[in-house]
Amino acid sequence: MYRIAVIPGDGTGPEVVREGLKVLSAISASAGFDLEFTTYDLGGERFMRTGEILPDGILAEFRQFNAIYLGAIGHPDVKPGILEKGLLLRLRFELDQYVNLRPVKLFPGVETPIKDKGPDDIDFVIIRENTEGLYAGAGGTLRRGTIDEVAIQDSINTRKGVERCLRYAFMYTRKRNKRKKLTLCAKTNVLTYASDLWERAFHELGEKEFPDIARDYVHVDAAVMWMVKNPEWFDVIVTDNMFGDIITDLGAMIQGGMGIAAGGNINPDGVSMFEPIGGSTPKYTGLNVVNPLAAIGAAALMLEAFGEDDAASRIEGAVQTVCARHLKSLAAGKMGHSTTDVGDLVVKYL
Ligand code: IPM
Ligand code: MN
């Protein structure tokens, strides 16, 4: 039995989470495990009603679950940054979810904007460090608002923090067992302190503990070029928080868009959180037109993290079938089916 905290969140979050829960309930009935869901009302509406973003008591409760399943955070009437920092980033940091796992996989029948590339070419995983780097919030400002203003934003990279992310990435590459190649994405030609630490840790750890995994390196600017030109070169990419944020949006686009892109915020020894990586898409809220496949894919990632690999791959298989046989497009309003229909179709093919 797995206990899951559910945060439907803002905008279209609740609509896609409903479909994810539908699929999870259907699979648990036949897969030999039970799931218990506890829903938490957090997000923009609650913030505007009560001023609360993430009460400490709720954070303490989250520590007791097997995982968190999140829809979307972001509200048009709340200043950008408040909910992101107060809820999403705070959960990642407080629960020490130090890996952000984002598979980039093009399913058969799904359109990619990259000419002449297909499912055999676009199948890799990005592992983004999720608790340090520029996101740590270090820095400050002086004489703000004057012509002498100074702004400093520091990237924090600790040997421990980098190494645990790298170790996860090496182990993931080994378990994935495809090309057994791990590519470090950094900027060693300019970031001669931060990327240097990553590069040394990468090779030292790889040499000592993962001789079976091939090591490769790309500068981040070249990485975005190769992701478009030769995506088949990649197996697993590991990178820091900011670079990972940027390149995973490109990854989402080449796998068919935000309608299909899922991710996991993982603490291998604690409570992880799974989410569709697109936002709350306020303009589609309540219309039953957004694609729930990203949320359903996030549910599959959650089961995989529990070690329920069979159930996870049954969900992925059903999602692939629905893409190949039923959806006209993965984009909101263009699928040829409603949000709830797509959830029903996935259940049908489980
Ligand atoms: C993501 C998002 C977040 C991030 C934002 C909403 C803070 O873009 O999950 O990639 O920058 O990490
Ligand atoms: Mn992002």
Side-chain angles (χ1 to χ4, degrees):
M1 147 107 127
Y2 301 104
R3 298 183 61 237
I4 297 160
V6 181
I7 309 174
D10 298 320
T12 50
E15 294 167 56
V16 297
V17 157
R18 195 178 306 129
E19 301 314 306
L21 296 180
K22 188 192 275 178
V23 171
L24 283 167
S25 301
I27 199 127
S28 72
S30 65
F33 54 80
D34 283 329
L35 298 171
E36 184 189 281
F37 303 114
T38 309
T39 302
Y40 285 86
D41 159 35
L42 294 172
E45 295 293 337
R46 176 165 182 163
F47 173 63
M48 288 191 308
R49 209 171 56 236
T50 68
E52 291 172 320
I53 301 182
L54 176 57
D56 290 340
I58 293 185
L59 177 62
E61 286 178 32
F62 282 160
R63 296 182 194 279
Q64 309 305 316
F65 286 90
N66 293 102
I68 300 169
Y69 185 51
L70 171 72
I73 295 300
H75 195 288
D77 301 332
V78 180
K79 197 170 142 231
I82 307 232
L83 298 167
E84 291 87 338
K85 271 199 166 163
L87 191 50
L88 186 63
L89 297 181
R90 181 149 179 247
L91 281 171
R92 288 177 183 171
F93 291 164
E94 296 265 12
L95 298 176
D96 207 17
Q97 295 162 342
Y98 62 85
V99 164
N100 193 316
L101 182 73
R102 296 187 169 179
V104 180
K105 187 168 179 177
L106 179 67
F107 292 150
V110 172
E111 204 180 325
T112 173
I114 304 192
K115 196 164 138 254
D116 299 331
K117 296 292 177 189
D120 290 340
D121 306 302
I122 300 173
D123 181 6
F124 59 95
V125 175
I126 300 173
I127 289 173
R128 159 187 176 189
E129 200 291 321
N130 213 27
T131 54
E132 301 193 336
L134 281 167
Y135 279 69
T141 174
L142 271 180
R143 301 186 283 269
R144 191 164 173 276
T146 73
I147 51 160
D148 296 315
E149 178 161 351
V150 181
I152 297 172
Q153 197 97 43
D154 291 319
S155 176
I156 304 293
N157 297 262
T158 68
R159 177 76 192 213
K160 258 192 203 160
V162 168
E163 206 166 294
R164 65 183 184 172
C165 176
L166 289 170
R167 180 171 282 105
Y168 183 93
F170 275 114
M171 290 190 347
Y172 188 92
T173 310
R174 186 182 272 164
K175 175 164 185 249
R176 178 172 150 89
N177 199 20
K178 289 236 160 103
R179 300 178 54 204
K180 294 212 175 182
K181 179 167 105 173
L182 180 61
T183 302
L184 172 66
C185 168
K187 186 73 183 172
T188 53
N189 52 350
V190 175
L191 305 183
T192 48
Y193 311 124
S195 289
D196 172 63
L197 191 165
W198 276 84
E199 192 182 35
R200 276 181 291 113
F202 178 64
H203 290 298
E204 284 167 25
L205 188 64
E207 202 173 297
K208 210 163 62 197
E209 295 179 32
F210 303 94
D212 52 322
I213 306 298
R215 276 169 273 139
D216 197 5
Y217 173 82
V218 279
H219 291 319
V220 62
D221 48 344
V224 291
M225 180 171 78
W226 298 127
M227 279 171 68
V228 171
K229 194 161 183 299
N230 294 100
E232 68 279 7
W233 285 359
F234 297 115
D235 180 13
V236 181
I237 298 176
V238 63
T239 192
D240 80 3
N241 211 339
M242 187 80 254
F243 293 157
D245 178 49
I246 297 166
I247 71 171
T248 53
D249 268 25
L250 177 60
M253 284 302 121
I254 71 174
Q255 74 180 127
M258 287 302 180
I260 190 91
N265 300 277
I266 295 180
N267 176 344
D269 313 305
V271 183
S272 301
M273 175 167 72
F274 299 85
E275 51 171 346
I277 79 175
S280 55
T281 50
K283 71 173 175 180
Y284 295 121
T285 302
L287 302 179
N288 200 23
V289 295
V290 291
N291 192 337
L293 291 180
I296 293 170
L301 285 175
M302 179 168 73
L303 295 184
E304 198 180 312
F306 292 158
E308 302 289 352
D309 290 3
D310 274 0
S313 62
R314 276 173 62 199
I315 295 178
E316 193 185 300
V319 167
Q320 291 207 25
T321 306
V322 172
C323 287
R325 294 198 202 158
H326 293 277
L327 300 194
K328 289 202 201 113
S329 156
L330 296 191
K334 297 183 181 153
M335 298 187 289
H337 294 271
S338 66
T339 307
T340 35
D341 279 352
V342 175
D344 290 341
L345 282 166
V346 174
V347 167
K348 177 175 149 195
Y349 290 111
L350 282 177

